[in-house]
Amino acid sequence: MNVFSGVALLLLGSSMILYAEGSRCVAGFHSHGRSCYWFSEMTGTFAEARSVCQFFGARLVIINSRAEDDFIRGYARGKAPIYFIGGNDLAREGRFVWEGGRPFAGGYQNWGSGQPDNYKGGEDCATIWNEIGYLWNDAHCSQKCNFICEI
Ligand SMILES: [Ca+2]
Ligand SMILES: [Ca+2]
């Protein structure tokens, strides 16, 4: 299923959104801390991923702490190989910022060894990647990856 057929299905289903019993989160979202998270089963480019999260009234995940990072890694493990998270260095190479603009520098970060490496140039979007234990890696924004929304 591509992103847009996925969104069409979501539109059809949007009148039936339910809250799972005992959860603060809409069905399909997973609760952790004060947020709800949706781990996509569809893939898309970074721009498509961002659009789908916005459709939910969410945004791509911003990882602020070890606890949040551990939750996300734990859930992702064994599922999709790569998920986009909500960071990029599109505006200035090497300066990663979260959705909304806060710099990675000075906050919690958990890059894989040697990352971000801007491999072969133009790796500008942050992901978590199974080959390095779902630590963070910069990857090409045009690559089709799964992604994580947070609300
Ligand atoms: Ca880069
Ligand atoms: Ca990289």
Side-chain angles (χ1 to χ4, degrees):
M1 181 192 302
N2 69 32
V3 162
F4 297 103
S5 61
V7 168
L9 283 174
L10 290 167
L11 278 168
L12 286 170
S14 63
S15 61
M16 303 189 304
I17 288 177
L18 299 171
Y19 285 81
E21 194 168 351
S23 172
R24 303 175 299 102
C25 299
V26 192
F29 280 70
H30 301 274
S31 177
H32 176 78
R34 292 166 173 243
S35 293
C36 300
Y37 301 84
W38 187 72
F39 294 76
S40 81
E41 293 183 4
M42 66 182 81
T43 62
T45 66
F46 185 81
E48 289 168 345
R50 180 184 261 165
S51 295
V52 171
C53 291
Q54 286 172 353
F55 171 80
F56 283 131
R59 53 158 167 68
L60 284 165
V61 64
I62 295 175
I63 304 175
N64 297 116
S65 68
R66 166 70 63 183
E68 185 175 26
D69 196 32
D70 286 349
F71 161 75
I72 286 165
R73 186 173 312 100
Y75 189 87
R77 191 168 281 133
K79 300 191 178 71
I82 305 173
Y83 289 89
F84 282 121
I85 60 175
N88 70 78
D89 73 339
L90 289 161
R92 192 189 338 157
E93 177 52 39
R95 183 180 185 272
F96 273 83
V97 295
W98 293 110
E99 296 290 90
R102 193 170 52 82
F104 279 36
Y108 176 80
Q109 299 184 68
N110 197 14
W111 295 102
S113 177
Q115 304 296 342
D117 62 354
N118 205 41
Y119 183 67
K120 291 187 176 173
E123 284 195 328
D124 295 337
C125 288
T127 67
I128 57 172
W129 184 22
N130 67 341
E131 291 206 8
I132 53 173
Y134 291 101
L135 299 183
W136 305 0
N137 173 49
D138 58 338
H140 287 97
C141 303
S142 57
Q143 182 178 347
K144 298 240 181 201
C145 300
N146 293 69
F147 50 94
I148 304 163
C149 304
E150 177 184 5
I151 189 169

